[in-house]
Amino acid sequence: AEVRGLFYLGSALSWFDRPRFEAAAERAMDLAGRLDNDLLRSHARGYAAYWNLLLRGPREEDVGAPGEAIDAARRARDRLLLGQHVARASYFRCLRSEYRAGCEAAREGMDLALEVGDGFDYLLCHFFLAWGLLHAGQWGDMLGVLEKGIRMAESNGHQLWATLFHLEEALLYEKAFHFEAARRLCEQGLKRAREAGHGHSQLLSQVLLGFAYLGLERYDRARHCLSEVAEPQARGRILMDWNWQMPLGLCLSELELAGGDRARARVEAERVCAQAAQSGERTYLSLARRMLARLFDEEQDLPRALGEITAAVTALEGFEAPMAEWQVCATAAELNQKSGRPSDAKAFMARSARTIERLADSLGAAPALRQSFLSAPQVLAAMR
């Protein structure tokens, strides 16, 4: 009973009080090791793995725990516990670039949450489903999921969830090069997050606002936003802050490159490579390798640029990561053309164009966003 109570206490504290959340998590994990009941022990280990993910990031020793908890709950036909672990397993799958599997788990989690009347996990599954759809390139479906999640959150008075869904919407806008709309959403999100005192929403808002300003070529504003969140030691740790270090690092690398500081840009890109390799996140690993290739190309070191872009392409093998694929293949085409390999360049150009068309087609129900994506200079250059 105490372990169950600590799980619920930790879930509440995780929104606003990290130190007390960590204390509750440590107590729950300590007690969980002494449980005799197989189902509750598996449940505790699964929950502990998820909390470790939130607090510290992916750990190899936690990889199997969510699946074991799901299996134990299915055997016991405990729909409540099953729904909790299926929902959280979807995030584990997405972080390992298994986006479609993560989406399937999130959808099952939504059905189970409705069945047992768990509104929180229902919204949690919407968040993870939108994250998986973004990275799987199903952008139109993502918009539908966010619209439904926002409506549900607002009707239940959960403004923090509504804010988080709007920020995921801003992230999609940025991937489609609709930076002005993203900026407006991020500024609204940052205001609401500060009013609520929710650290994770503030962090997410500022990272995405930095992205938006970078896209708008307002570099001083981008640097101001990102400098406030770049160093965890300086600002204090925030739940799940490790997860945003990869997109943050890529943004900082782009910002340093725009300012002409290739050395600092390389440091940021190499840091993202290390983080992504540790977690198994292929989208950000390949994008960081692509950034290194671009930096070596700027230094007119074509052999090393080709080596990095080859590593970026290799990182995508066996994985579906279209958000990264079109960019990596476009850069691979450019570098192969420079190195006198026109047939390889042509193949990469065709692959990039196919991926761009697929992403654009997913936005058929959002014509303005589709047009923003297809008319972006980077996309036009890749298509040419």
Side-chain angles (χ1 to χ4, degrees), residues 109-177:
M110 287 164 61
D111 291 340
L112 289 163
L114 282 176
E115 181 182 324
V116 301
D118 191 329
F120 180 87
D121 273 8
Y122 185 70
L123 293 172
L124 183 71
C125 287
H126 272 76
F127 187 86
F128 292 156
L129 177 56
W131 182 266
L133 291 170
L134 172 75
H135 290 79
Q138 299 175 42
W139 291 354
D141 291 344
M142 179 189 178
L143 285 172
V145 167
L146 290 174
E147 181 182 351
K148 188 176 180 181
I150 290 167
R151 188 167 61 248
M152 178 68 73
E154 289 179 343
S155 68
N156 282 276
H158 206 314
Q159 293 306 314
L160 275 177
W161 267 125
T163 297
L164 285 166
F165 291 138
H166 278 302
L167 290 171
E168 279 194 310
E169 187 180 10
L171 179 55
L172 173 58
Y173 284 0
E174 290 176 354
K175 300 307 176 187
F177 302 98

Side-chain angles (χ1 to χ4, degrees), residues 296-358:
F296 285 125
D297 185 40
E298 288 261 337
E299 295 170 1
Q300 297 184 345
D301 189 341
L302 190 55
R304 294 184 75 181
L306 284 167
E308 289 295 344
I309 203 63
T310 299
V313 172
T314 301
L316 295 173
E317 289 179 0
F319 291 86
E320 187 179 14
M323 200 171 76
E325 185 177 8
W326 79 264
Q327 300 176 73
V328 168
C329 290
T331 301
E334 181 183 351
L335 293 175
N336 275 278
Q337 188 69 35
K338 284 184 179 182
S339 67
R341 302 172 186 171
S343 60
D344 290 340
K346 185 176 180 180
F348 280 119
M349 275 191 282
R351 183 175 168 186
S352 179
R354 286 195 301 271
T355 308
I356 288 169
E357 289 169 359
R358 174 185 156 195

Side-chain angles (χ1 to χ4, degrees), residues 44 47 54 57 76 113 171 175-176 183 190 202 208 214 219-220 223 234 236 240 248 292 303 308-309 314 339 351 368:
Y47 234 114
L54 299 186
L171 179 55
K175 300 307 176 187
R183 180 195 64 79
L190 182 58
Q202 291 181 57
L208 295 180
L214 177 64
Y219 300 129
D220 289 342
R223 191 174 296 279
M240 288 177 69
L248 173 61
L292 290 172
E308 289 295 344
I309 203 63
T314 301
S339 67
R351 183 175 168 186

